[in-house]
């Protein structure tokens, strides 16, 4: 397989996302070694009181998550943003697409703040609005667009969510992908699943019983997605060629190796892992399901967990009665989630407490309108 330089840069997170999205923070970022950081965060939080709400994704560092008013997976945090009407400032400790969704789902008087604008998502960057529009044009040209329903993973830009809303589709997260696909296939005969091929394939095959032959992969870097008209017409699932750089690292060999090393271990993985890995695992689940399953398991249970390391380390610390290990031998954080650290949280809280709105995430009105349709469709499912 040959990969172009441009593709390689995106796959390798080689872009300077901070400069693409604007200035991350001014020169007043406190030093990470400042022993007063926690006290400063607490003080600024107290000044803001009920005017502020801090949302924290499960992949966030401990130093940040300790300040979250609500923790959750991407679905739970989107719900929290939609239901929460009181706070004027919502500090989103997560990544850019999550903060955009929160902006879309909150009321106009509420302002969403992403403490570091460099906190993007390499998977979300694998589908640009222009690429998705050209894919759709090809589907129209060969006469299948009218029966194709877009289902877009939350891990996507607001522009892609807007495309989804405009074409009668829905957003999904890893915790409701099955429901979303069932809904889409009750409305049309095909699904265009964006941008994570693995979540799309795993859900279609393992939850809906669709065969692997019914899934094709659309490569945005090739004419016609690298597919023939016949392949597209015969397919039920058109999967976008995107993946997560963190979950994509786990391999079937990791599963085999851990089973040999820890007899009786159960393997639980996120559905963003490859089909090869999820079919070798014992349990597949969204971040929230992984936490529930492991926390509610019997004392003495042994778990190898295939998801982001901050979450796995916290789960191990919170469940000392169980043996909980990371599925891979090498350490793997989500580097963009980790961009949100205590210095950035302190900087953003103090700035807002002092009357300076910083890193305000604002989605364009038209984009927000159609994205909201697709997000509300998800919340209604
Ligand atoms: P969840 O939907 O499980 O929160 O996952 C979000 C994410 O970014 C996983 O990589
Ligand atoms: Fe994106 Fe993967 Fe990080 Fe989730 S873990 S935010 S999908 S890069």
């Amino acid at each position: 397989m040959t990969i172009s330089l441009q593709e390689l840069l995106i796959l390798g997170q080689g872009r300077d996302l901070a400069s693409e999205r604007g200035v991350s923070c001014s020169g007043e970022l406190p030093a990470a070694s400042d022993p007063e950081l926690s006290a400063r965060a607490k003080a600024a939080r107290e000044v803001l009181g009920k005017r502020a709400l801090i949302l924290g994704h499960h992949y966030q560092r401990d130093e940040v998550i300790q300040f979250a008013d609500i923790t959750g997976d991407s679905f739970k945090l989107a719900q929290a943003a939609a239901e929460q009407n009181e706070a004027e400032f919502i500090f989103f400790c997560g990544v850019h697409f999550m903060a955009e969704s929160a902006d879309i789902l909150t009321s106009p008087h509420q302002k969403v703040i992403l403490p570091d604008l460099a906190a993007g998502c390499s998977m979300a960057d694998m589908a640009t609005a222009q690429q998705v529009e050209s894919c759709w044009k090809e589907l129209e040209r060969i006469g299948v667009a009218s029966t194709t329903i877009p289902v877009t993973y939350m891990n996507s830009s607001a522009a892609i969510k807007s495309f989804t809303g405009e074409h009668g589709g829905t957003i999904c997260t890893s915790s409701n992908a099955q429901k979303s696909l069932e809904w889409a296939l009750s409305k049309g005969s095909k699904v265009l699943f964006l941008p994570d091929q693995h979540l799309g394939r795993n859900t279609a095959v393992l939850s809906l019983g669709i065969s692997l032959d019914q899934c094709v992969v659309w490569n945005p870097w090739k004419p016609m997605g690298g597919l023939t008209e016949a392949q597209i017409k015969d397919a039920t699932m058109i999967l976008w060629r995107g993946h997560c750089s963190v979950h994509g690292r786990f391999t079937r060999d990791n599963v085999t190796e851990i089973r040999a090393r820890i007899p009786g271990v159960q393997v639980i993985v996120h559905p963003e892992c490859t089909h090869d890995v999820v079919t070798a695992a014992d349990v597949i689940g969204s971040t929230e399901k992984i936490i529930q399953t492991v926390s509610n398991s019997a004392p003495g249970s042994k778990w190898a967990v295939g998801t982001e390391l901050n979450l796995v380390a916290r789960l191990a610390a919170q469940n000392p009665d169980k043996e909980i290990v990371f599925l891979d031998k090498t350490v793997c954080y989500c580097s963009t989630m980790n961009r949100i650290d205590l210095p950035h949280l302190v900087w953003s809280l103090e700035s807002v407490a002092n009357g300076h709105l910083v890193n305000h995430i604002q989605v364009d009105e038209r984009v927000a309108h159609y994205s909201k349709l697709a997000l509300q469709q998800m919340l209604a499912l």
Side-chain angles (χ1 to χ4, degrees):
M1 182 180 67
T2 46
I3 298 178
S4 69
L5 177 62
Q6 201 181 6
E7 190 177 14
L8 199 64
L9 285 174
I10 288 189
L11 292 174
Q13 290 179 264
R15 292 155 60 188
D16 183 352
L17 296 167
S19 61
E20 274 179 33
R21 294 188 176 114
V23 176
S24 177
C25 62
S26 60
E28 300 104 50
L29 191 72
S33 57
D34 182 345
E36 301 299 317
L37 279 183
S38 288
R40 284 173 63 174
K42 211 163 158 246
R45 180 72 194 80
E46 268 166 25
V47 170
L48 289 164
K50 284 205 162 100
R51 293 172 68 209
L53 176 76
I54 304 180
L55 301 180
H57 189 271
H58 291 309
Y59 296 171
Q60 291 289 299
R61 300 157 179 262
D62 285 348
E63 68 188 40
V64 167
I65 214 84
Q66 63 174 324
F67 290 104
D69 298 303
I70 301 176
T71 59
D73 63 2
S74 55
F75 180 70
K76 190 170 159 195
L77 294 179
Q79 257 182 336
E83 286 163 7
Q84 221 292 329
N85 203 16
E86 212 183 316
E88 190 182 341
F89 303 108
I90 296 182
F91 292 84
F92 209 112
C93 299
V95 287
H96 194 265
F97 70 79
M98 296 179 182
E100 278 189 332
S101 300
D103 177 52
I104 293 161
L105 290 168
T106 45
S107 310
H109 73 278
Q110 297 179 291
K111 294 170 181 62
V112 176
I113 293 147
L114 182 65
D116 186 347
L117 294 179
C121 164
S122 54
M123 176 201 288
D125 291 331
M126 288 175 194
T128 68
Q130 208 184 353
Q131 288 172 329
V132 175
E133 286 294 347
S134 8
C135 165
W136 194 253
K137 280 204 177 77
E138 293 290 8
L139 299 188
E140 281 176 336
R141 191 183 58 75
I142 64 170
V144 299
S146 58
T147 53
T148 302
I149 309 296
V151 176
T152 296
Y153 191 23
M154 184 67 115
N155 300 28
S156 55
S157 68
I160 309 291
K161 291 188 177 76
S162 171
F163 160 89
T164 308
E166 211 172 339
H167 293 92
T170 186
I171 304 304
C172 75
T173 69
S174 51
S175 54
N176 59 22
Q178 177 179 348
K179 264 192 201 160
S180 310
L181 280 191
E182 284 166 351
W183 170 85
L185 288 170
S186 72
K187 286 190 57 170
S189 56
K190 275 184 208 310
V191 165
L192 171 62
F193 194 93
L194 299 148
D196 183 17
Q197 57 169 301
H198 301 302
L199 177 65
R201 183 180 297 106
N202 290 331
T203 312
V205 175
L206 302 174
S207 306
L208 270 70
I210 293 171
S211 75
L212 275 174
D213 296 346
Q214 289 292 299
C215 304
V216 292
V217 177
W218 180 279
N219 182 346
W221 302 92
K222 290 194 170 160
M224 273 283 281
L227 299 167
T228 63
E229 262 191 52
Q231 282 175 315
I232 297 172
K233 284 182 175 162
D234 288 348
T236 305
M237 297 291 298
I238 305 170
L239 306 168
W240 195 261
R241 189 170 172 268
H243 71 274
C244 164
S245 46
V246 176
H247 293 92
R249 287 170 59 105
F250 299 112
T251 62
R252 207 179 177 96
D253 282 351
N254 290 154
V255 179
T256 312
E257 192 270 334
I258 210 100
R259 289 200 196 281
R261 191 154 56 87
I262 310 177
V265 74
Q266 296 182 77
V267 178
I268 185 165
V269 299
H270 195 280
E272 284 175 16
C273 295
T274 64
H275 194 61
D276 223 21
V277 169
V278 298
T279 48
D282 299 297
V283 188
I284 312 161
S286 70
T287 315
E288 202 69 31
K289 181 172 167 185
I290 291 176
I291 296 172
Q292 296 308 326
T293 308
V294 174
S295 306
N296 295 334
S297 64
S301 309
K302 300 170 189 178
W303 291 97
V305 188
T307 191
E308 207 273 344
L309 188 55
N310 276 318
L311 187 160
V312 182
R314 195 152 47 237
L315 205 50
Q318 288 167 350
N319 290 273
D321 58 336
K322 291 152 204 157
E323 187 179 345
I324 299 170
V325 298
F326 191 56
L327 178 58
D328 194 358
K329 268 185 284 185
T330 52
V331 171
C332 188
Y333 291 103
C334 171
S335 58
T336 46
M337 279 275 182
N338 265 280
R339 297 296 296 237
I340 311 290
D341 56 8
L342 200 46
H344 282 89
L345 181 61
V346 167
W347 169 75
S348 56
L349 284 169
E350 286 181 347
S351 301
V352 175
N354 290 327
H356 306 297
L357 181 60
V358 291
N359 289 12
H360 181 196
I361 301 298
Q362 276 179 298
V363 177
D364 167 90
E365 229 174 89
R366 186 177 181 281
V367 169
H369 170 75
Y370 285 110
S371 305
K372 195 167 185 167
L373 291 182
L375 280 162
Q376 282 173 335
Q377 177 56 56
M378 171 186 81
L379 294 172
L381 281 175

